[in-house]
Amino acid sequence: MVFVTGEPGIGKTTVVETFLGQVAGEEELWIGRGQCVEHYGVGEAYLPVLEALGRLCREEDGKEVVALLRHQAPTWLVQMPAFLSTAELEELQRRTAGVTRERMLRELAEALEALTAERALILRLEDLHWSDYSTLDLLAVLARRQERARLLIVGTYRPVEVLTCDHPLKGV
């Protein structure tokens, strides 16, 4: 897990995108991109991670990601109904009814391990200073896992927003 920090407009995104452009040509890998957005109320849990997964599902080999999520992380796939037929969505909703937040964290951690068994994954998460608590919990879980995964998480944030507001990202 790598954090790129700096003030607004300093070039965090440019640095990260340049890096991703360089490594994308070196080997076959997944690159998922997600963005946190500033909320003026309650935001959607896991928004940048769901965005990154959705983008992966729309890529050329996206059916492979959808199949893996269906099997290993159905609670995540049910949050992305565009990739399911009506019947598949209803079946997954029945299977995942009453699922806990903790199960969602475990499911995705295990799914990412399976997804990266053959192909590395880089998750780029922008503007983590606007992140929801659930996304930060997921980052903490992934950072502490002992199992092998070819996973690199690159997050950007503005340090002044994290330090002055006693943001939970500070603990992560």
Side-chain angles (χ1 to χ4, degrees):
M1 188 172 298
V2 174
F3 294 114
V4 179
T5 67
E7 301 311 312
I10 201 164
K12 299 178 293 294
T13 300
T14 301
V15 167
V16 172
E17 285 302 317
T18 300
F19 165 72
L20 294 177
Q22 290 175 346
V23 298
E26 293 178 13
E27 69 174 273
E28 189 178 12
L29 53 82
W30 304 101
I31 298 177
R33 291 172 167 85
Q35 173 90 36
C36 301
V37 293
E38 188 172 16
H39 295 283
Y40 301 100
V42 178
E44 181 177 8
Y46 307 110
L47 179 65
V49 179
L50 288 167
E51 180 183 359
L53 290 173
R55 287 181 175 183
L56 287 172
C57 290
R58 283 188 293 278
E59 288 186 3
E60 186 177 320
D61 297 330
K63 290 181 182 179
E64 188 178 328
V65 179
V66 172
L68 184 125
L69 290 174
R70 181 180 289 113
H71 179 69
Q72 299 247 330
T75 58
W76 289 81
L77 187 56
V78 82
Q79 304 301 314
M80 300 180 288
F83 303 107
L84 300 167
S85 69
T86 302
E88 289 173 318
L89 179 59
E90 289 172 357
E91 188 268 328
L92 276 182
Q93 286 173 331
R94 278 191 299 277
R95 277 183 42 202
T96 60
V99 167
T100 64
R101 198 172 151 275
E102 291 75 20
R103 177 176 164 187
M104 285 188 72
L105 293 173
R106 180 181 47 81
E107 275 187 6
L108 190 60
E110 292 174 0
L112 290 176
E113 288 168 17
L115 185 65
T116 61
E118 300 295 322
R119 189 171 172 180
L121 168 64
I122 300 174
L123 280 179
R124 187 218 62 190
L125 303 175
E126 286 279 326
D127 296 324
L128 287 169
H129 52 275
W130 289 327
S131 181
D132 60 277
Y133 291 110
S134 297
T135 297
L136 297 177
D137 284 342
L138 177 64
L139 292 178
V141 165
L142 293 175
R144 290 181 178 95
R145 287 196 54 100
Q146 299 295 315
E147 290 73 19
R148 291 185 58 134
R150 296 171 35 173
L151 172 66
L152 172 63
I153 298 170
V154 180
T156 67
Y157 71 88
R158 299 175 188 167
V160 70
E161 305 254 358
V162 172
L163 297 173
T164 58
C165 300
D166 202 30
H167 195 280
L169 179 59
K170 186 177 175 182
V172 175

